[in-house]
Amino acid sequence: MPFDFSFTREQELFRRTCRDFFREEIEPTVERVDEEEAFPEENIRKIAEMGLMGVPAPREYGGGGMGEVGYAIMLEELGRVCSAHATIVGAHIGLCVTPLWLYGTEEQRREYLVPAARGEKLGAFALTEPAAGSDAGAISTTADRRGEDFILNGEKIFITNGDRADIIIVFAVTEKMLGAAGGITAFIVEKGYPGFSVGKIEEKMGIKGSTTAELVFRDCRVPRENVLGPLGLGLIVALTTLDGGRCGLAAGTLGGAQAALEAAVRFAKRRRRLGKPIAENQAVQWMLADTAMEIHAARYMVYHTATMVDEYYEMVARGERVPRPFRELVTRDAAMVKTFCSEAATRAIDRCLQIHGGLGCVEGFNVEKSFRDALIAEIYEGTNEIQRLIIARDVLEKGGYWAP
Amino acid sequence: MNTIVCVKAIYSPERITVDKRTGKVVLRGLPTILNPPDRVAVEAALRLRDAHGGKVSTITMGRTEAEDPLREALAMGVDEAYLLCDEAFGDEPHTTATLLSYAIRKMGAFDLILCGARSLDGNNAQVGPQLGELLDLPVVAEVGDVRLEEGRLMAEERLGNNARVVKTPLPALATLCEDAYKPRYPSTWGIYEAYHLKTVTWWSRKDLDITEELEAEGPPVQTRRVFPPELEERRQEILRDPPAEAARELARRILRLGRDG
């Protein structure tokens, strides 16, 4: 059996289209978006019109039908251009469109997935709380039954798109006694529900075009039919969603690493010091070589993991039982790809900045912006420390690196 | 309003490298794309369809990899695509135009044929006008805008710094300048449709009822040599002195040039 690892013609056309579109339509605006620290509404509208807000979801639900590989291609290309945009789109697709597709009932899919995948409505995912980030099982937002409905109370923080989203996947405790494993439930919350409000918007060092909001629930009534997935199994909804989300996030950082390498090469060839281009210096060449090697590894990891997530998600969406070894494999690989790629990207951008010297630190030169944008990828969607715990747990249990 | 757009697959100029030893362009492994002016012609056809209804078909003559640019046109919204592909087909402009004329007669009724004004690789700008002649159609070349008014085609011909609006009955043929319109990007949905729901019809020589012996005398145009033109050194200088002084200076320089050869 050959080890075929190539893109289809369709995927190649999709990549080329994404690259041209992002470069021509989005890239010229990214510096301004960063400066104004404003949500790039116009850009997101254009991205939605291109059908890019539902890339992996099936066509019958308004999606692009391109699966997780298509999703990774799109985020890799968007990540080349701007991490803030990749964050907005990644949170919408990876953390809202995906769980709606995986766990939504037919009615929920019609009502929420279709407009989200078409890009008519924006999505968010609200899990993190002031006292529960890495320790997601420790959330304290409650959802108490009142008749047929649920009443939500609590606060969520650091919610990407939180202030802009029409549809928010919210995780809350439905049965405290059962703990994280059986006591957390996922809900679909519409922004107009009484009792829901947006609190503080964070001011951040990077990804400034993406908004990060506090969400407040005060006796917010959510109808019974808006429970997403099985009652009490919200943590599974969250963790399954995050497996794919991490792979997409990794793809975005991979794009950022490539843009950094290309910028570094361009600069190193042009910049002359001591009578020759600095690209002729071994110290610079080694930095470029290291980045190229890491991109090479990252790229294979991303697309290999994406094909596995694809298979995994198809099973979940069909309501099939996923064999435990496969589920664990996807979780481990998603943790590895997220950690490796986000760190490879920060290293790539760090080297790119070093090659640019003082100019790398100057505003308006893009290197400085990329540097500020890159760091969050090692933190959000599960810190890299938590990812390493996931990987180590698997390695210890299996006795080493396990592959089927 | 049925429009046929003739397109060409070209190698993507983005990653072209030149073999340092032979001086030739390395084409192996390069992706093929839709010739950019042809993409503009596709856009023009789609705009006419959006405004007046009907169907847009696209056709190309090329090697097997020419299917990709056809899929690209389908992804933009074109309804159907034809690929003329045969080992026996040459790629010189007259042969191409002749084969396209056979295929288009076979495709059935149409109102308009649009082409890109030129291809970025061959740059002959021949196929469109020749095809028009072969099909006995009015031809408007190098246009910047096409519209439909009372069943006639209004086309804005580009003539250097000027433009001329031409009105012609249909069916007709027009070739589009690269900057006439900004072509739309294929959407994600369009790309999926192009590969899963739409088809590319392949025709070989035996599918076309070719009566002529096309290769009998060889193609009428043959490329003998490709070379960079020799550049003459030219200089220009504007004398900004007041007229009387400028004239004296000019006379001095001409005299000096005459003396120095």
Side-chain angles (χ1 to χ4, degrees):
Chain A
M1 167 109 180
F3 183 57
D4 185 13
F5 215 74
S6 54
F7 295 106
T8 63
R9 301 283 204 189
E10 181 185 3
Q11 287 164 340
E12 277 170 12
L13 174 60
F14 181 60
R15 178 186 295 282
R16 194 149 41 76
T17 304
C18 285
R19 184 172 298 184
D20 291 347
F21 171 73
F22 293 143
R23 191 163 50 196
E24 289 158 18
E25 304 293 323
I26 306 299
E27 194 165 26
T29 69
V30 300
E31 208 180 298
R32 182 174 49 77
V33 168
D34 183 68
E35 259 171 39
E36 293 174 359
E37 299 193 34
F39 185 88
E41 210 154 331
E42 175 67 13
N43 286 347
I44 297 301
R45 190 187 56 73
K46 282 189 194 168
I47 290 171
E49 279 173 2
M50 284 283 292
L52 295 173
M53 294 299 264
V55 173
R59 275 176 60 83
E60 61 265 39
Y61 297 113
M66 300 252 177
E68 296 299 312
V69 174
Y71 176 47
I73 288 172
M74 188 267 288
L75 273 189
E76 183 188 343
E77 294 305 326
L78 186 52
R80 265 175 186 276
V81 166
C82 177
S83 301
H85 287 77
T87 298
I88 297 167
V89 176
H92 167 81
I93 296 178
L95 303 181
C96 182
V97 168
T98 295
L100 287 171
W101 168 47
L102 295 184
Y103 293 101
T105 60
E106 187 57 26
E107 293 72 34
Q108 289 171 339
R109 286 175 175 177
R110 294 275 156 225
E111 175 85 14
Y112 297 108
L113 174 57
V114 170
R118 282 194 187 140
E120 293 156 6
K121 290 193 170 170
L122 189 69
F125 176 93
L127 177 63
T128 300
E129 295 182 3
S134 290
D135 185 10
I139 59 167
S140 62
T141 295
T142 54
D144 297 320
R145 251 181 207 279
R146 193 169 301 165
E148 279 296 285
D149 300 341
F150 287 87
I151 305 295
L152 268 59
N153 276 294
E155 281 104 50
K156 297 287 179 182
I157 56 161
F158 297 155
I159 308 306
T160 300
N161 299 346
D163 59 323
R164 295 272 163 173
D166 306 285
I167 304 164
I168 306 147
I169 311 299
V170 180
F171 297 85
V173 177
T174 37
E175 196 63 70
K176 197 169 172 27
M177 300 279 287
L178 294 175
I184 294 174
T185 301
F187 295 90
I188 305 167
V189 175
E190 294 182 32
K191 73 169 175 195
Y193 284 176
F196 166 73
S197 61
V198 175
K200 185 184 165 207
I201 312 286
E202 303 294 341
E203 284 180 24
K204 307 185 295 296
M205 69 180 288
I207 55 164
K208 286 166 176 278
S210 150
T211 46
T212 309
E214 178 190 23
L215 306 184
V216 183
F217 301 88
R218 290 276 175 269
D219 291 328
C220 175
R221 182 183 285 268
V222 180
R224 171 74 180 85
E225 58 268 24
N226 277 27
V227 167
L228 182 65
L231 193 70
L233 297 186
L235 203 61
I236 292 189
V237 174
L239 296 179
T240 306
T241 299
L242 286 168
D243 284 337
R246 284 170 188 151
C247 182
L249 185 158
T253 62
L254 166 63
Q258 291 181 82
L261 177 61
E262 285 160 19
V265 168
R266 271 196 307 274
F267 187 83
K269 280 177 158 176
R270 213 175 51 220
R271 184 69 151 185
R272 294 180 72 87
R273 282 298 177 268
L274 305 174
K276 60 183 182 184
I278 61 168
E280 289 179 21
N281 296 330
Q282 196 185 46
V284 171
Q285 289 181 2
W286 284 22
M287 286 196 262
L288 299 175
D290 286 344
T291 301
M293 277 192 287
E294 290 179 11
I295 287 170
H296 184 62
R299 208 149 188 271
Y300 279 89
M301 276 175 101
V302 163
Y303 289 102
H304 182 245
T305 308
T307 55
M308 290 208 303
V309 173
D310 232 350
E311 200 182 330
Y312 178 41
Y313 278 2
E314 287 292 340
M315 293 165 94
V316 176
R318 283 195 301 263
E320 284 173 29
R321 202 179 151 70
V322 182
R324 188 163 164 236
F326 184 56
R327 202 175 63 222
E328 288 178 348
L329 189 71
V330 174
T331 299
R332 181 202 67 181
D333 286 7
M336 292 203 293
V337 72
K338 190 267 182 184
T339 306
F340 183 82
C341 292
S342 60
E343 292 175 8
T346 44
R347 283 193 294 270
I349 292 161
D350 187 20
R351 292 183 196 119
C352 174
L353 190 148
Q354 191 66 21
I355 287 169
H356 277 76
L359 285 174
C361 301
V362 171
E363 276 184 34
F365 217 69
N366 207 27
V367 183
E368 171 266 351
K369 173 185 176 293
S370 305
F371 192 83
R372 284 187 285 107
D373 283 351
L375 301 173
I376 186 63
E378 295 188 25
I379 298 164
Y380 64 8
E381 291 205 36
T383 62
N384 286 8
E385 290 70 30
I386 290 290
Q387 306 310 315
R388 283 189 166 85
L389 288 182
I390 295 171
I391 299 161
R393 191 172 62 212
D394 188 85
V395 168
L396 288 168
E397 195 184 300
K398 308 272 163 52
Y401 172 82
W402 184 81
Chain B
M1 182 72 191
N2 289 343
T3 308
I4 297 172
V5 188
C6 302
V7 301
K8 185 177 186 184
I10 63 163
Y11 288 105
S12 169
E14 208 161 84
R15 275 182 282 162
I16 280 182
T17 52
V18 177
D19 187 315
K20 283 202 177 112
R21 208 168 39 82
T22 62
K24 282 189 175 163
V25 174
V26 183
L27 297 174
R28 205 173 344 115
L30 285 178
T32 50
I33 61 163
L34 196 52
N35 177 42
D38 301 347
R39 194 173 302 164
V40 175
V42 169
E43 176 64 34
L46 293 174
R47 286 182 187 200
L48 288 172
R49 186 193 64 186
D50 292 346
H52 306 282
K55 186 177 79 172
V56 178
S57 315
T58 183
I59 183 166
T60 192
M61 194 199 83
R63 285 182 283 269
T64 54
E65 60 264 33
E67 188 180 333
D68 292 328
L70 286 180
R71 297 276 177 199
E72 202 174 327
L74 290 172
M76 287 171 74
V78 164
D79 300 288
E80 54 178 34
Y82 294 85
L83 172 57
L84 310 184
C85 186
D86 197 310
E87 291 284 318
F89 293 167
D91 64 352
E92 160 283 330
H94 183 69
T95 315
T96 306
T98 307
L99 288 162
L100 285 174
S101 71
Y102 276 97
I104 285 170
R105 282 192 204 104
K106 190 179 157 109
M107 282 165 73
F110 62 87
D111 302 296
L112 179 64
I113 296 175
L114 295 178
C115 308
R118 60 192 66 246
S119 64
L120 292 195
D121 54 357
N123 206 20
N124 291 307
Q126 285 291 313
V127 173
Q130 289 198 27
L131 176 62
E133 286 300 312
L134 289 166
L135 292 170
D136 203 17
L137 298 172
V139 173
V140 201
E142 316 246 349
V143 306
D145 186 34
V146 283
R147 274 172 293 128
L148 214 57
E149 268 181 37
E150 293 156 2
R152 282 164 180 263
L153 183 77
M154 304 286 283
E156 187 189 301
E157 263 184 319
R158 297 267 176 87
L159 307 162
N161 291 330
N162 303 310
R164 174 170 66 188
V165 176
V166 177
K167 190 164 158 185
T168 163
L170 296 173
L173 183 146
T175 74
L176 271 293
C177 292
E178 193 182 348
D179 60 351
Y181 303 109
K182 183 175 188 287
R184 64 195 66 187
Y185 300 95
S187 75
T188 311
W189 302 298
I191 291 171
Y192 184 96
E193 282 164 21
Y195 280 88
H196 300 274
L197 306 176
K198 293 177 177 173
T199 49
V200 172
T201 306
W202 288 53
W203 280 345
S204 65
R205 191 187 169 106
K206 67 178 182 342
D207 294 306
L208 307 176
D209 306 317
I210 296 172
T211 47
E212 301 168 50
E213 199 50 60
L214 285 173
E215 291 85 13
E217 294 165 39
V221 175
Q222 290 171 8
T223 305
R224 289 285 174 84
R225 188 159 79 98
V226 178
F227 59 97
E230 281 168 32
L231 291 178
E232 267 179 55
E233 197 193 336
R234 290 185 191 177
R235 271 177 295 178
Q236 175 187 313
E237 194 180 336
I238 296 171
L239 302 175
R240 297 190 190 283
D241 310 309
E245 278 175 50
R248 257 194 298 279
E249 175 64 21
L250 187 61
R252 238 191 331 264
R253 290 196 189 199
I254 290 169
L255 284 173
R256 199 188 315 145
L257 272 177
R259 198 176 54 232
D260 299 345

